[in-house]
Amino acid sequence: MTAYAATVRYFNEAADLMGLSQNMRTLLLTPQREVKCQVAVQKDDGQIATYIGYRVQHDRARGPMKGGLRFDPAVDADEVLALATLMTWKTAVVNIPYGGAKGGIAVDVKTLSPSELERVTRGFVDAIHDVIGPDKDIPAPDMGTNAQVMAWIMSQYQKYHGFNPACVTGKPVELHGADGREEATGRGVATVSLALLKKENRPPEQTTAAVQGFGNVGTYTAEFLHEAGVKIRGVSDAYGAVWNDEGLDIPALLTHSRETGGVKGFVGGDALDGGALLTSDVDLLIPAAIGGVLTAENAGHVRAKYVVEAANNPTRPEADEIFHRNGVQVVPDILANAGGVTVSYFEWVQNRQHFKWDKSRVRNELDKIMNASFDAVWERATTKKVPLRTAAYLVGIGRVGRATVLAGI
Ligand code: NAD
């Protein structure tokens, strides 16, 4: 099943419960615009390299479209469409005034020098600048892109359209970025994890966890959960995994990972097979790396009682069914990792008002939105007697559907 087919399946499960007509389903699922473009650049050695870029603008019923930009060799039209669709429901679940979009370039950033990466980024903006903008579609970071890439996007966009920092979010704090944006997704993941534990009357100090992925989202998730007292027993990245029954020293692991480029070789734990981390002996499992890692093959062996989806699309629908049967609670991506887009919204608001918030305000506002969104989804799951994922889709689709009907076509 493709990534897009999986998101449509989740959509239809909720749409069936809502009694949504076929016409309305088609209207809500059909993307507004799909762009596929050539990005040709000169490499440092003088050779020409050609990459394919994508931007899918899925829905704009609730406001300008919003979504990250992924630079990864696995990027293709299906994945970008799936992620754009998720963004529509995600912005609605946290009730921020945006629609959904996503973009990407099929490129391995590890093969690019910094100046080549800059030329690829600027080339992509040359191709799509007319269809993005602060009131149309606002890109942000995702896998393989970072604040520096966002700064180049802003700079290139402004060459065509004049000063306009709100055209992209996730920018460096020194260049119209928001304090607290970098940590926001991980902080949001930790906030909903703790909210779930509270509902389950489980003290964080008596909870163990494993985190797959130690990049932007995984590191901050681990840090905030560790601070709250959760014992993080295992952490993995693309190059290895480490395990400590008594809980890893997360600040020391962060230092090790920054110094060596990965978690491998950390002296405060034992080496573990990355795949084994997903089925390890923990209460809380947090996939924070790539999509499709929880499958029909491994879901039945997952020992965690709770899965909080920090990554986008980490659970295949067949695995989701197994979790449901086995009583594993899954906090879905469209709620769990919405902290990033929420603080991107705060950055956009600050850019438009030319007014800077301090970090404590950003954190307070983020915590409020994540907790309120979790409560709304939890309440819907309880009253409708459905899993949290279906409840989140019910909330998201309901809001997008109402906005669509109210505005008319
Ligand atoms: P990142 O590139 O900063 O980090 C990815 C991490 O995953 C790295 O540590 C990498 O080594 C690891 N990884 C890759 N393949 C792996 C594998 N097979 N096993 C274990 N680890 C592996 O990316 P990120 O920004 O942290 O994003 C991670 C996920 O979170 C993605 O699915 C992304 O779409 C999602 N997400 C990110 C944000 C954001 O604000 N950055 C917001 C919402 C969702």
Side-chain angles (χ1 to χ4, degrees):
M1 185 181 289
T2 67
Y4 181 63
T7 60
V8 171
R9 181 153 153 186
Y10 292 142
F11 171 91
N12 277 326
E13 275 170 21
D16 288 347
L17 285 174
M18 298 166 86
L20 216 60
S21 72
Q22 193 51 52
N23 290 349
M24 196 63 186
R25 291 181 199 217
T26 306
L27 178 64
L28 291 180
L29 281 175
T30 307
Q32 291 285 334
R33 180 190 272 137
E34 290 176 282
V35 177
K36 180 177 179 187
C37 59
Q38 178 200 79
V39 182
V41 294
Q42 190 164 32
K43 302 269 280 183
D44 294 345
D45 63 5
Q47 298 291 313
I48 300 291
T50 305
Y51 304 103
I52 303 296
Y54 303 88
R55 188 76 189 167
V56 174
Q57 299 175 330
H58 176 249
D59 192 277
R60 58 179 178 204
R62 301 181 66 260
M65 292 166 285
K66 186 89 187 82
L69 196 56
R70 179 175 288 196
F71 288 0
D72 187 87
V75 164
D76 62 21
D78 180 88
E79 182 187 65
V80 178
L81 175 57
L83 293 169
T85 312
L86 283 183
M87 286 306 297
T88 297
W89 319 132
K90 190 181 299 182
T91 51
V93 166
V94 286
N95 213 1
I96 56 177
Y98 285 141
K102 198 79 181 191
I105 302 180
V107 60
D108 184 352
V109 285
K110 289 194 292 298
T111 65
L112 301 177
S113 70
S115 61
E116 288 168 346
L117 178 60
E118 178 174 352
R119 288 198 287 281
V120 167
T121 305
R122 290 186 187 277
F124 185 53
V125 177
D126 289 341
I128 65 163
H129 72 90
D130 267 337
V131 296
I132 60 170
D135 290 315
K136 293 182 190 168
D137 172 8
I138 308 122
D142 194 74
M143 275 168 68
T145 59
N146 56 20
Q148 173 61 77
V149 171
M150 301 305 116
W152 290 326
I153 291 176
M154 183 190 87
S155 155
Q156 195 66 10
Y157 180 86
Q158 292 184 157
K159 286 180 186 169
Y160 293 99
H161 303 279
F163 177 74
N164 222 323
C167 69
V168 62
T169 59
K171 300 178 293 293
V173 176
E174 308 88 326
L175 194 69
H176 308 285
D179 261 323
R181 170 62 184 89
E182 194 183 287
E183 69 180 29
T185 306
R187 186 175 176 88
V189 172
T191 303
V192 296
S193 304
L194 296 171
L196 173 66
L197 295 178
K198 197 167 174 193
K199 296 275 186 208
E200 297 281 294
N201 293 319
R202 183 185 278 268
E205 301 77 21
Q206 289 168 30
T207 305
T208 56
V211 181
Q212 182 195 43
F214 211 50
N216 171 290
V217 180
T219 52
Y220 283 110
T221 299
E223 238 184 333
F224 285 116
L225 286 177
H226 177 76
E227 256 176 49
V230 173
K231 202 188 276 184
I232 315 256
R233 283 181 153 170
V235 166
S236 69
D237 62 21
Y239 315 103
V242 284
W243 179 267
N244 186 330
D245 267 343
E246 300 311 314
L248 293 158
D249 178 345
I250 296 297
L253 181 60
L254 267 168
T255 307
H256 170 85
S257 173
R258 279 193 195 115
E259 283 170 357
T260 66
V263 300
K264 203 172 169 178
F266 179 57
V267 292
D270 301 319
L272 182 79
D273 174 60
L277 185 94
L278 297 173
T279 54
S280 59
D281 181 16
V282 291
D283 305 309
L284 173 63
L285 176 64
I286 303 189
I290 53 174
V293 294
L294 294 165
T295 62
E297 286 71 44
N298 62 14
H301 303 289
V302 167
R303 283 190 270 174
K305 274 201 70 62
Y306 314 104
V307 174
V308 178
E309 295 184 339
N312 283 311
N313 256 336
T315 310
R316 297 239 172 267
E318 310 81 47
D320 210 45
E321 277 173 20
I322 295 171
F323 288 150
H324 187 48
R325 273 205 305 274
N326 292 352
V328 178
Q329 297 235 53
V330 182
V331 182
D333 45 11
I334 57 171
L335 168 63
N337 69 30
V341 72
T342 300
V343 175
S344 272
Y345 165 57
F346 300 159
E347 180 177 333
W348 180 81
V349 166
Q350 291 171 70
N351 290 156
R352 308 206 85 178
Q353 296 185 336
H354 306 283
F355 182 77
K356 194 151 177 61
W357 301 3
D358 63 20
K359 195 170 179 174
S360 67
R361 177 167 180 192
V362 171
R363 283 180 161 185
N364 284 340
E365 299 284 344
L366 171 64
D367 296 352
K368 252 194 290 185
I369 287 185
M370 294 309 297
N371 279 314
S373 306
F374 179 84
D375 286 346
V377 170
W378 181 271
E379 202 260 339
R380 190 68 63 98
T382 311
T383 51
K384 295 280 178 194
K385 297 189 173 45
V386 293
L388 292 170
R389 187 188 310 280
T390 311
Y393 273 81
L394 287 175
V395 171
I397 297 169
R399 285 180 179 150
V400 178
R402 273 193 298 283
T404 305
V405 169
L406 285 168
I409 46 173

